[in-house]
Amino acid sequence: MAAAAPTRAEVLALFRSLLRTAKQFSDYNIREYTRRRAADAFRENRALADAPAAAAAFAEGKKQLEVAKRQALVYSLYAPKAKSVMELKAQ
């Protein structure tokens, strides 16, 4: 059974979910790393034309979303008390 390529709406929904999950990290460095990694992965896979490769990349993205959600939960339990220098500059 051939894997169907995800639709544009599904891909954009996955990207938005990854960005929303990145915002849940309280630590600036981890939050920015997660956001940057998601954007880089989508940029890298933007030109995938064949359906099996696009479906595999989409499945990998969904796995990474689940990992990021679990990590956000764990990091919320052990959030640092002090803000980073980058967060203090932004205020």
Side-chain angles (χ1 to χ4, degrees):
M1 182 169 150
T7 64
R8 178 177 169 83
E10 290 173 328
V11 172
L12 290 175
L14 177 61
F15 184 63
R16 284 191 301 270
S17 295
L18 282 164
L19 293 181
R20 269 189 236 110
T21 302
K23 285 183 182 179
Q24 293 176 359
F25 287 100
S26 59
D27 185 79
Y28 172 83
N29 291 320
I30 297 167
R31 184 172 55 243
E32 288 301 307
Y33 171 76
T34 306
R35 186 193 59 77
R36 191 173 54 246
R37 182 169 172 174
D40 289 346
F42 275 80
R43 209 172 287 123
E44 179 182 316
N45 291 319
R46 175 185 285 174
L48 289 179
D50 57 333
F58 186 74
E60 179 62 26
K62 288 183 88 163
K63 286 181 194 173
Q64 290 300 319
L65 175 62
E66 293 305 314
V67 169
K69 284 181 179 180
R70 285 193 305 269
Q71 286 297 86
L73 176 65
V74 170
Y75 274 90
S76 72
L77 298 173
Y78 302 102
K81 302 288 187 246
K83 300 243 183 229
S84 75
V85 174
M86 294 302 290
E87 289 174 312
L88 293 175
K89 273 178 106 173
Q91 292 178 350

